[in-house]
Amino acid sequence: MYTTSSLTNITPVHHATNTAPLTHTATYAMQDARQTHWQAMMRALALKARQPKWITVINPPRTFTAKHLQQWGIHPDQVRVIRSRNGYDDCALVEGAVKANTSCAVLAFSPQAEKITHYETGTQWVAFVNPAVLHCH
């Protein structure tokens, strides 16, 4: 029986006597894939940050600090943080930030998001990150 993961192209083989869902090798491969995806996303964010516009960060977890952004060459004065209040969901905040057109990038942390998804809309870059991804690094 073969199983695959959407996070890696490594296909671990499970024998009928082995009921463990992942081997240690596959677990490390998944963590490496998440880290590679996270690093690629941060490189894209750093490229967008070269524009004279805001980097808007929505609902960052406490573990995500300005130091994380500085490591990628993003100046903290270029970053604005938005925290949601009752009545506003993450998608509405992202939509508002994109419509304002004052950000070169919008980074939204949402537990409902896939692990990491990002896309371009016009000249703006938008990313949704599940905060659990940060705990893998």
Side-chain angles (χ1 to χ4, degrees):
M1 175 177 178
Y2 293 96
T3 60
T4 59
S5 167
S6 63
L7 299 175
T8 182
N9 62 359
I10 297 173
T11 306
V13 176
H14 296 283
H15 300 288
T17 59
N18 183 1
T19 59
L22 294 173
T23 65
H24 290 295
T25 304
T27 301
Y28 291 130
M30 280 179 46
Q31 289 172 349
D32 288 346
R34 287 182 193 139
Q35 185 171 10
T36 300
H37 199 166
W38 173 256
Q39 290 172 351
M41 188 200 70
M42 291 304 290
R43 279 192 296 276
L45 183 62
L47 285 172
K48 279 297 189 182
R50 294 179 181 174
Q51 299 177 36
K53 287 186 169 185
W54 290 105
I55 301 285
T56 301
V57 182
I58 298 173
N59 295 324
R62 301 237 182 263
T63 57
F64 187 77
T65 64
K67 183 177 125 185
H68 287 98
L69 296 171
Q70 286 176 322
Q71 291 172 344
W72 292 94
I74 300 168
H75 197 280
D77 291 342
Q78 187 180 1
V79 178
R80 67 178 169 188
V81 176
I82 298 173
R83 300 215 181 263
S84 64
R85 294 189 222 168
N86 291 340
Y88 293 94
D89 65 1
D90 299 334
C91 290
L93 292 172
V94 169
E95 186 178 315
V98 169
K99 281 184 181 178
N101 200 24
T102 57
S103 302
C104 59
V106 178
L107 177 60
F109 289 90
S110 173
Q112 287 82 30
E114 292 295 321
K115 302 213 179 335
I116 300 175
T117 56
H118 48 88
Y119 59 92
E120 291 272 335
T121 175
T123 60
Q124 298 176 84
W125 183 82
V126 179
F128 286 91
V129 178
N130 188 311
V133 170
L134 292 180
H135 299 296
C136 298
H137 305 282

